[in-house]
Amino acid sequence: MIYTDSCCCCIELRYGCILISIIEVLIRGIDRFFVDRDSLLGFASLLISGTYLICCTILLIGCILTLRKLLLPYIFVALLHVLILFCECIYVVIVDEFYDFVVFDIIQIVLSLYFCLIVYSYYYSLRDY
């Protein structure tokens, strides 16, 4: 498995995870304002964003209290989010025209995978506690 010793080459993993949880809470909070609430897809997006928001809050608590088990919900939901974004990108490219938001989704996938790597590395470093 791939691990890292620091976040962004200079930040300790614990503080990197705290920073990730704060950034994700802000992104998911802002994301809720741009969703069409009248459609089924919009409702599903709100549900996923809400779950992601809760898991980011649990991640923040787990990092502050150094509780290893509280890091797992974020990892699972972030990987599920990556899978959903990947399927959405494939669907849009195959069925519809290539839209600009596919590029945004790809950037979001790469960032989410990097964030998962940081959180999993911190989770792995806490195995001795």
Side-chain angles (χ1 to χ4, degrees):
M1 187 73 188
I2 300 172
Y3 303 104
T4 185
D5 294 331
S6 63
C7 176
C8 302
C9 299
C10 61
I11 301 174
E12 186 180 324
L13 285 175
R14 179 178 182 209
Y15 298 116
C17 287
I18 290 171
L19 186 64
I20 287 170
S21 65
I22 292 170
I23 289 170
E24 290 282 357
V25 164
L26 291 175
I27 290 172
R28 297 302 149 217
I30 292 170
D31 188 34
R32 299 174 138 250
F33 292 111
F34 297 108
V35 174
D36 180 23
R37 291 178 174 85
D38 295 333
S39 68
L40 182 62
L41 184 62
F43 178 73
S45 177
L46 280 175
L47 186 65
I48 292 169
S49 285
T51 305
Y52 206 89
L53 187 69
I54 291 169
C55 289
C56 290
T57 307
I58 293 171
L59 172 66
L60 181 63
I61 293 168
C63 291
I64 291 172
L65 300 177
T66 62
L67 295 173
R68 185 173 190 234
K69 291 181 181 180
L70 292 182
L71 305 178
L72 286 177
Y74 174 81
I75 295 171
F76 291 135
V77 170
L79 291 176
L80 179 66
H81 185 248
V82 166
L83 181 67
I84 290 170
L85 284 174
F86 185 72
C87 292
E88 177 189 18
C89 287
I90 290 173
Y91 175 78
V92 168
V93 169
I94 290 174
V95 174
D96 293 334
E97 299 288 326
F98 185 78
Y99 290 109
D100 292 338
F101 74 87
V102 172
V103 175
F104 177 71
D105 284 348
I106 291 171
I107 292 170
Q108 207 173 1
I109 288 169
V110 171
L111 276 176
S112 291
L113 288 174
Y114 179 69
F115 288 170
C116 278
L117 173 68
I118 299 298
V119 174
Y120 185 75
S121 296
Y122 183 58
Y123 173 80
Y124 188 75
S125 72
L126 291 177
R127 73 187 180 282
D128 298 330
Y129 294 106

